[in-house]
Amino acid sequence: MFDTKFAIVLREDLAVWQKLNVTAFLTSGIVAQFPQIIGEPYRDRAGNLFNPLSIQPVIVLSADAPTLSIIHRRALERGVTTSAYVEEMFSTGHDVANRAVFAEFAPDDARMVGIALRAEKKLVDKITKGARMHA
């Protein structure tokens, strides 16, 4: 049904609250990059209006830290723009601080805890190779 795949890869050793937090932030980045991914508003039988949701399923994967670093590198090498979250962002409290701490790292020393991407299916599969379905 879709030519693209929307995948999120989380570092497997995160606490549950961290996984949920990172997933929410990374998803917002993909939606900002691809606003057409958002469908129409929902209405229940009583006529109550609800926010629109993504029209495309999201695959959530997990990986250890070394594999997540490899996935990060593969995305960069292939020119795929991603949403990314580094460990140090857990200690900040707002967007400006998040961007400041993120800017302190390069791909070779970033302690990546999550990455999200949306691209052609086969490309996403190649980039995320080694990650597994999140349990």
Side-chain angles (χ1 to χ4, degrees):
M1 179 175 216
F2 294 97
D3 295 334
T4 59
K5 184 181 271 189
F6 181 170
I8 298 173
V9 185
L10 302 171
R11 199 175 73 196
E12 63 190 8
D13 64 342
L14 298 178
V16 172
W17 75 265
Q18 291 173 316
K19 290 177 182 180
L20 295 170
N21 182 267
V22 171
T23 299
F25 274 102
L26 295 177
T27 300
S28 70
I30 297 298
V31 171
Q33 183 183 11
F34 300 101
Q36 69 275 17
I37 202 170
I38 299 300
E40 297 297 320
Y42 284 69
R43 283 194 189 274
D44 66 13
R45 189 175 62 200
N48 297 304
L49 183 65
F50 296 85
N51 289 328
L53 302 175
S54 173
I55 61 170
Q56 184 170 11
V58 180
I59 307 301
V60 181
L61 306 168
S62 65
D64 59 19
T67 303
L68 194 53
S69 292
I70 291 168
I71 290 167
H72 180 213
R73 180 182 44 79
R74 287 180 191 147
L76 291 171
E77 288 171 352
R78 290 166 173 83
V80 175
T81 302
T82 64
S83 300
Y85 202 102
V86 295
E87 187 172 323
E88 290 74 12
M89 291 167 68
F90 288 126
S91 64
T92 64
H94 54 86
D95 184 56
V96 173
N98 280 346
R99 284 184 282 116
V101 75
F102 189 91
E104 293 176 13
F105 299 94
D108 59 336
D109 65 353
R111 294 190 303 179
M112 198 65 59
V113 298
I115 192 164
L117 62 155
R118 181 176 181 251
E120 188 270 324
K121 283 181 183 180
K122 289 182 182 179
L123 181 57
V124 171
D125 289 342
K126 287 178 184 176
I127 291 170
T128 60
K129 184 178 178 184
R132 61 198 162 286
M133 290 300 287
H134 191 276

